[in-house]
Every structure is written in structure tokens, then in C-alpha cells.
Amino acid sequence: MELEKLRHGTELIKRGFAKMQKGGVIMDVTTPEQARIAEEAGAVAVMALQAVPADIRKAGGVARMADPQIIADIIDTVTIPVMAKARIGHFVEAEILQALGVDMVDESEVLTPADHKYHIEKTDFTVPFVCGARNLGEALRRMNEGAAMIRTKGEAGTGDVSEAVKHMKQIQGEIRALKGMTREEMVRIAREIEAPFELVLETAQMQRLPVVNFAAGGVATPADAALMMRLGADGVFVGSGIFKAEIPEKMAIAIVEAVNNYDNPEVLAKISKGIGAGMKGISVDTIPQDQVLQTRGW
Amino acid sequence: MLIGVIAIQGDVSEHVDALIRALEERGQSADIVTIKHKGIVPGCDALILPGGESTTLGRLLIREGIADEIRQLHLSGKPIMGTCAGLILLAKEGDEQVKKTHQHLLGIMDTTVNRNAFGRQRESFETELELPFLNSPYTAVFIRAPGIVGCGKDVTVLAKMDGKVIAAEQGNILALAFHPELTFDTRVHQYFLNKLF
């Protein structure tokens, strides 16, 4: 067979990777043992971290990329894709993660931003990126920088799903509003939400985000995961919700099954029984303004 | 005609769209059903296992009771196509990577697979291939792609790359290491539909 040149890191390859994750659950893990539990439960990928968001929140201080040793150990342990977080704007952390062989980088507001003006120029990378968003403008700006996948920001480490719900409804509502708009109206919207017109147009035509859109930030129970799927998420990130639960093994399996059965309340009732308590969590209204994570990034 | 697409996880809508395009081009019609639970596979005339994470797909096919239905469908001779993760699930044997995660395989194709034969995501690629069974160059998309490293005597090798089989068939089963559903070229879906019509 004649072999032509191989093209790596193209938009098709990066967005294609995200498409393979659809309908799945991506779980935060901090040790190889937790990664194994996640894989065994049926996670489509794991997010390798130094600490889960709930602990990052508690610890305070500056949160950075995880220790490369932890990430490398997790990569060696599981066969499913391994993702890891880089600080907003910290392109060197992202380069290190790419060098480690991480399958997707999350440029994440859960870590302390390294640049208060610019996000990472993600088109320069071979590895695909996922980024958080609270509204359509933010989602399309991240895509314009090269993000291959979007997740709602929610409010990480709280176990309170309300912000994830708010952000998912916000994005979907803005997409619905584009329906039937004229070109000039869309030009105006693009200016208002500070997003490129071409991406606004593409979103309007597709009536969905042009890349895979997961829910994240506060998902703590099978019912939460199913709720986000019902609201139109392509899949779910679960951060602290698994390994801060009373019985992580059971919670992990239950959330995976809930995502596959999100539209069947009877099955969801069965799945949700006898799995122990979910993470304790904190209500979003009680978080002091300076500890809110979702407002990081722009 | 009813064509099923396993929809537990992965790029399901892309396969559905590719099928719709391919059927339109042929001027033929068929119903397409996405399958997340048991009870639907037995009514299908053809079945597609999409790309996704094979570990997840394998576990849920068992938990949902779909795996046995697929084996039965195969025994009745119905066409089945697996792309990427689907190619892994169809196989009889896996490599070390597959074994260490106790991955569930359907075992209906006499093949041994290497789970990430073409590396991790950073090694993923698209390229033009000469695929004899499609008789002209074809842009193939490989994402953390598997490869077939061993074939039984009933398996026909359709294409190879770097010494690994990337397209093969066994009777009415078609397995591909790449993703025909991610491009607008419908020739692979056409090739599969030829088995049905």
C-alpha cells in the first residue's frame, strides 16, 4: 500500500477525539487506584489531578498543573484516555502535558489562572483541548482559539449542580434565539457576545455548538448526571462527586448507568438505590465572591 | 429494512448521518434505530458498532444485555459493521492492554486486536490511503486507533498499514480501524449497505 503523509493534530482529529467521548462520563482521579476504579466503572476517560476540586477549594493558595509523575503513573495504569488540567493561559503547562502523552488538555478555571488577559492559543497544539464556558460567547471564543470540546463551567467542587444547569440553559437558549435570524442580526449578535461571526452562523445553522459539549461543575449524583443529559449535554464530567462520595465504586457505576438511562426514571430509581451518600457539598450561594471559580477566564 | 446503530456511547449521530447520506445517494430507503437497551437488536437487518471507548462500550453491552443479542444477530447472518472501538468489540482476542482491563469482547470475528496500535491521541492522524476494496484514494481518520494483529482463516484482509490490518471482513462482518463516519465520503457505508441490499 502506498502511504501518504500522516497529518496529526488537525481540527478533524481533535474534534473527532471529543466525538468518541459522547454519551460518556469523564471522572476526576488523583491516584492510579482511583483511575482503575473509574475505568472499571465504565468511565470514557479520566482527568488526572493532584487534588479534586473540592479539596483544591478547601486548600486555597495557588492551584497548578498536577505533578507529572502522578499523571504518568495514571497513563500507565489505564487504557482509556487520560486528560489533565493546565492553568488558563499557561501554554508551557499545556506543552508539558502534551509531552507526557495526555490525550486532552483541560484549560481550566479550577486552577489559578496564569494569564488574566489571554487564554492559550490552542490551534498551535497537536493535543486537543477542552475549555469551560458559561455562555455562547465564551464557548465560541474558546473554539476560535482552537478548543475541540466545550464544557459548562458550573461551579466546580461544590456538589451543587445549579450553576451547571444555569450555564447549559444559557448556552442552549442563546442557540435557540439564533434560529430564523437574518445575517445582519447575527452580525450584531456576534459583536454583542464578542464571538466570530462565522462561528455564530455555523452554530445557528447546526442549532447546537459545533463541537461536543459536556456538562461539568457540581454534578454529584446519578440524578444530577441524568438531569444534565436531559438538558442536552453530550456527556458529563464528574469531579469531586465520585471520590468524595461515601462509596466511590458504587457512585461511579451508578453515574455511568444514569447517563445511559437518563430518560428512564424507573431505571434511574433503581440505579440510585443503595449507593451510599453523595458528596456533602456546599451550596453555591454561600461561597464568598472571591472564591467563585467560574468567573476565571473571559 | 431496519438498520441499528449501537448508541450506548460514542459517535452515534455521525454514523446515523452517514447512513442517511449513503441511502440518499443510492435512492434506497431504510429505517435507522439507535440502540441503548436490549430488545431492539433482534429486529434489525443490519447493525453498526460505532467509534467510542471500547472498554466502556464492552461493559455496558454486557450490563444492558445487548452483547448476547448481537451474537445471535451474527449467527443469523445479518451484516454487522464495527469502526474503531467497534472493530475491537467484534474481535475474539485482545492484546495485553485489552486483557489487563478485563475488557468484554463479542468474539464474533476471528481476529486478535491491539487496542491502541497507532498510539495515543497525539499520534492520531488522517491520511490518504489506497484502499483496493474502494478502488481509489480514500481519506481515513485514525483516532487512538486499534489494529488487527492476527486473523483466522475465514477473515479476508481488505487493507493493511504498518503491518497491521486496518480493514477486514468475515462473511457479513466488516471491521475498520478508522472512522468513515467522520468524513463526507460515504463509500465505506455504501460498501456495507451492499451487503444488505
Side-chain angles (χ1 to χ4, degrees):
Chain A
M1 169 178 310
E2 209 180 312
L3 255 189
E4 295 289 331
K5 216 165 155 262
L6 309 185
R7 297 187 295 279
H8 300 281
T10 62
E11 194 176 89
L12 180 63
I13 295 294
K14 291 177 180 176
R15 290 186 180 188
F17 169 79
K19 286 176 177 174
M20 299 311 144
Q21 304 284 302
K22 284 196 294 181
V25 181
I26 300 169
M27 301 183 190
D28 278 5
V29 299
T30 57
T31 63
E33 184 49 33
Q34 289 184 354
R36 221 183 325 252
I37 291 170
E39 180 171 63
E40 198 65 39
V44 287
V46 291
M47 178 72 70
L49 288 164
Q50 191 104 29
V52 293
D55 289 334
I56 291 176
R57 195 176 270 290
K58 218 181 287 166
V62 176
R64 311 180 178 93
M65 170 185 81
D67 179 346
Q69 187 60 53
I70 294 178
I71 298 168
D73 289 345
I74 289 171
I75 286 176
D76 286 342
T77 304
V78 292
T79 60
I80 53 177
V82 176
M83 305 182 179
K85 290 186 196 290
R87 281 179 269 177
I88 289 173
H90 206 315
F91 57 87
V92 173
E93 280 189 352
E95 285 169 0
I96 292 171
L97 294 175
Q98 177 170 274
L100 280 168
V102 159
D103 295 294
M104 183 173 244
V105 174
D106 182 3
E107 187 182 19
S108 177
E109 70 282 3
V110 168
L111 306 182
T112 311
D115 187 326
H116 290 281
K117 257 196 175 134
Y118 300 100
H119 281 249
I120 298 171
E121 186 48 52
K122 293 166 273 288
T123 43
D124 296 343
F125 285 77
T126 305
V127 67
F129 279 74
V130 55
C131 288
R134 290 164 299 166
N135 51 52
L136 184 60
E138 206 173 357
L140 298 185
R141 283 194 295 280
R142 296 295 84 79
M143 280 180 56
N144 193 46
E145 295 154 359
M149 181 173 177
I150 295 294
R151 54 172 174 74
T152 56
K153 282 182 169 174
E155 187 58 32
T158 59
D160 180 345
V161 78
S162 63
E163 292 296 296
V165 168
K166 182 164 114 191
H167 300 155
M168 189 57 78
K169 286 192 170 171
Q170 173 69 28
I171 291 173
Q172 309 251 348
E174 287 182 81
I175 294 174
R176 262 196 311 277
L178 293 174
K179 209 172 187 173
M181 273 192 190
T182 62
R183 192 183 160 87
E184 63 174 7
E185 285 167 335
M186 279 193 267
V187 168
R188 181 178 52 82
I189 292 288
R191 212 164 48 227
E192 272 173 23
I193 67 172
E194 297 179 56
F197 166 72
E198 292 70 26
L199 287 176
V200 172
L201 180 66
E202 194 183 351
T203 304
Q205 285 166 345
M206 291 176 76
Q207 275 299 296
R208 59 153 294 145
L209 277 187
V211 298
V212 169
N213 182 19
F214 269 44
V219 176
T221 64
D224 287 349
L227 173 66
M228 297 317 299
M229 295 300 288
R230 283 283 284 277
L231 293 176
D234 290 319
V236 178
F237 281 91
V238 186
S240 319
I242 308 258
F243 292 98
K244 285 284 164 193
E246 188 185 352
I247 317 169
E249 292 84 352
K250 287 191 175 174
M251 185 59 81
I253 292 176
I255 290 181
V256 168
E257 290 185 350
V259 166
N260 194 43
N261 292 280
Y262 68 86
D263 48 3
N264 189 334
E266 260 132 63
V267 178
L268 288 173
K270 212 170 91 189
I271 289 167
S272 306
K273 273 186 213 155
I275 54 170
M279 70 181 279
K280 182 161 180 286
I282 30 171
S283 166
V284 168
D285 335 320
T286 63
I287 302 174
Q289 207 49 41
D290 61 337
Q291 288 170 31
V292 170
L293 301 177
Q294 60 176 274
T295 48
R296 294 168 165 180
W298 30 91
Chain B
M1 289 291 183
L2 183 64
I3 305 171
V5 180
I6 296 295
I8 280 175
Q9 190 271 312
D11 67 339
V12 179
S13 62
E14 287 72 13
H15 265 293
V16 171
D17 292 347
L19 276 173
I20 292 170
R21 283 197 303 272
L23 286 163
E24 256 170 32
E25 286 168 16
R26 302 168 76 92
Q28 282 171 318
S29 68
D31 294 317
I32 300 167
V33 60
T34 55
I35 302 165
K36 295 168 73 142
H37 307 293
K38 68 175 174 187
I40 304 166
V41 169
C44 292
D45 299 295
L47 188 71
I48 291 179
L49 293 160
E53 286 308 320
S54 60
T55 321
T56 308
L57 279 162
R59 289 198 203 304
L60 285 171
L61 283 176
I62 301 267
R63 272 187 225 159
E64 295 288 339
I66 301 172
D68 279 333
E69 293 182 339
I70 298 175
R71 291 191 190 100
Q72 286 301 320
L73 191 79
H74 161 61
L75 288 178
S76 67
K78 303 278 166 59
I80 301 175
M81 173 163 78
T83 63
C84 194
L87 169 143
I88 298 174
L89 293 170
L90 290 169
K92 202 162 259 175
E93 278 283 337
D95 61 353
E96 285 300 305
Q97 288 246 300
V98 173
K99 283 181 181 141
K100 92 172 175 190
T101 55
H102 321 105
Q103 195 165 328
H104 305 280
L105 302 176
L106 294 167
I108 58 179
M109 199 169 180
D110 195 3
T111 49
T112 303
V113 292
N114 183 339
R115 192 191 195 276
N116 292 114
F118 293 93
R120 304 189 69 83
Q121 175 59 18
R122 65 179 174 195
E123 283 90 41
S124 296
F125 59 93
E126 49 177 303
T127 193
E128 276 67 49
L129 295 178
E130 287 295 335
L131 296 183
F133 73 111
L134 301 176
N135 71 51
S136 62
Y138 179 89
T139 302
V141 180
F142 291 78
I143 296 176
R144 285 173 49 96
I148 296 174
V149 290
C151 293
K153 62 174 170 34
D154 296 332
V155 177
T156 307
V157 173
L158 297 173
K160 274 184 153 187
M161 187 174 174
D162 284 353
K164 284 156 243 171
V165 176
I166 54 163
E169 61 188 342
Q170 174 186 315
N172 260 347
I173 312 174
L174 177 62
L176 306 147
F178 51 91
H179 292 281
E181 72 279 13
L182 289 185
T183 58
F184 284 95
D185 189 331
T186 57
R187 281 177 289 162
V188 170
H189 285 81
Q190 295 291 8
Y191 186 85
F192 178 62
L193 289 173
N194 287 342
K195 295 177 182 293
L196 182 64
F197 289 101

